[in-house]
C-alpha cells in the first residue's frame, strides 16, 4: 500500500487536495476529522481521553487498510513539530510493518489565505476550526511544518489549484 500523508495548517487545502487526488487515482480517503468525529461522540473536544481515542482510531484504520491490501490510502493531518513526530513515526512503523510506503506531502499557504478560507460553509458543516482569531492563535502557538523526511513533497496550495497539486503528487510518487 501507498499512504499519501497530506499535511499542513488548518484550511491549507488538505481535504480539497486529497479529493482532487482521488478523482484522478483509485484509492480511499481517511480524513483526519473522521477520527476526531468518532472521539467527539464519546468526549468533549480535548477532554481527557479524547486524543488517545483519536490516535487509536487512526492506527486501527491504517492497520485495517493495510491488512486488507488497500493499494492507495490518502490521509490528511495537521502536523505540528515536534509534538506530532511520535504520532507520525507510529504511522510510519505501521506502514513499514506491512511492507507499505509512506509518501508525505506538505501544503503551504499564507496566513492571509488561511484566514480567508477558514470561514467556509464546508468547514462549518465538518465542525472544523472556523474563527480568524482561533486560526491565528493556533498558527502563533504551533509550528506547523513539513515532516522531517527527505521524500516530503512541498506544494503551495495558494498558488496552485488542488488539481494541479494532485497531478504533482501523482507524478512525484508514480501513482498512476
Amino acid at each position: 500500500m501507498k499512504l499519501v500523508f497530506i499535511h499542513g495548517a488548518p484550511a491549507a487545502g488538505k481535504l480539497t487536495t486529497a479529493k482532487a487526488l482521488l478523482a484522478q487515482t483509485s484509492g480511499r480517503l481517511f480524513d483526519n476529522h473522521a477520527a476526531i468525529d468518532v472521539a467527539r461522540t464519546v468526549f468533549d473536544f480535548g477532554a481527557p481521553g479524547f486524543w488517545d481515542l483519536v490516535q487509536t482510531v487512526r492506527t486501527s484504520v491504517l492497520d485495517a487498510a493495510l491488512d486488507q491490501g488497500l493499494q492507495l490510502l490518502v490521509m490528511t493531518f495537521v502536523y505540528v513539530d515536534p509534538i506530532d513526530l511520535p504520532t507520525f513515526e507510529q504511522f510510519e512503523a505501521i506502514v513499514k510493518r506491512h511492507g507499505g510506503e509512506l509518501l508525505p506531502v506538505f501544503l503551504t499557504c499564507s496566513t492571509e489565505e488561511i484566514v480567508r478560507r477558514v470561514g467556509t460553509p464546508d468547514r462549518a458543516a465538518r465542525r472544523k476550526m472556523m474563527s480568524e482569531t482561533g486560526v491565528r492563535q493556533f498558527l502563533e502557538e504551533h509550528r506547523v511544518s513539513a515532516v522531517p523526511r527527505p521524500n516530503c513533497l512541498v506544494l503551495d496550495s495558494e498558488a496552485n489549484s488542488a488539481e494541479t497539486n494532485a497531478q504533482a503528487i501523482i507524478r512525484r510518487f508514480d501513482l498512476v
Side-chain angles (χ1 to χ4, degrees):
M1 179 181 87
K2 292 183 178 186
L3 171 63
V4 178
F5 184 80
I6 301 177
H7 58 292
K14 299 176 296 294
L15 182 58
T16 303
T17 300
K19 288 178 178 179
L21 177 60
L22 290 168
Q24 300 177 48
T25 60
S26 180
R28 301 300 292 229
L29 172 65
F30 182 43
D31 179 29
N32 184 47
H33 280 271
I36 290 170
D37 291 344
V38 168
R40 278 186 171 153
T41 66
V42 180
F43 300 109
D44 291 332
F45 187 89
F50 179 85
W51 290 110
D52 291 336
L53 180 55
V54 168
Q55 188 61 7
T56 297
V57 171
R58 290 171 176 157
T59 57
S60 294
V61 167
L62 286 179
D63 268 322
L66 287 153
D67 283 344
Q68 295 304 312
L70 185 66
Q71 294 299 303
L72 176 65
L73 182 65
V74 180
M75 181 178 183
T76 63
F77 194 87
V78 176
Y79 176 84
V80 174
D81 190 59
I83 298 165
D84 288 324
L85 184 57
T87 299
F88 177 75
E89 289 173 340
Q90 190 175 17
F91 299 153
E92 272 185 319
I94 292 168
V95 172
K96 184 178 179 180
R97 185 174 70 241
H98 289 274
E101 190 177 3
L102 196 153
L103 310 170
V105 176
F106 179 65
L107 297 182
T108 64
C109 189
S110 71
T111 300
E112 292 73 29
E113 180 64 11
I114 288 170
V115 166
R116 188 188 71 74
R117 294 176 182 178
V118 81
T120 63
D122 178 60
R123 291 185 65 81
R126 301 285 322 270
R127 295 173 45 182
K128 293 182 174 186
M129 185 180 295
M130 297 240 354
S131 78
E132 176 181 343
T133 303
V135 76
R136 285 187 187 279
Q137 182 177 359
F138 181 88
L139 294 173
E140 287 172 12
E141 293 176 2
H142 298 92
R143 193 171 128 215
V144 176
S145 64
V147 297
R149 296 298 181 266
N151 68 330
C152 186
L153 175 62
V154 178
L155 298 170
D156 187 332
S157 68
E158 185 173 358
N160 303 320
S161 70
E163 291 74 18
T164 298
N165 282 339
Q167 291 168 3
I169 294 166
I170 291 167
R171 281 191 308 274
R172 170 70 174 274
F173 297 120
D174 195 27
L175 298 180
V176 179

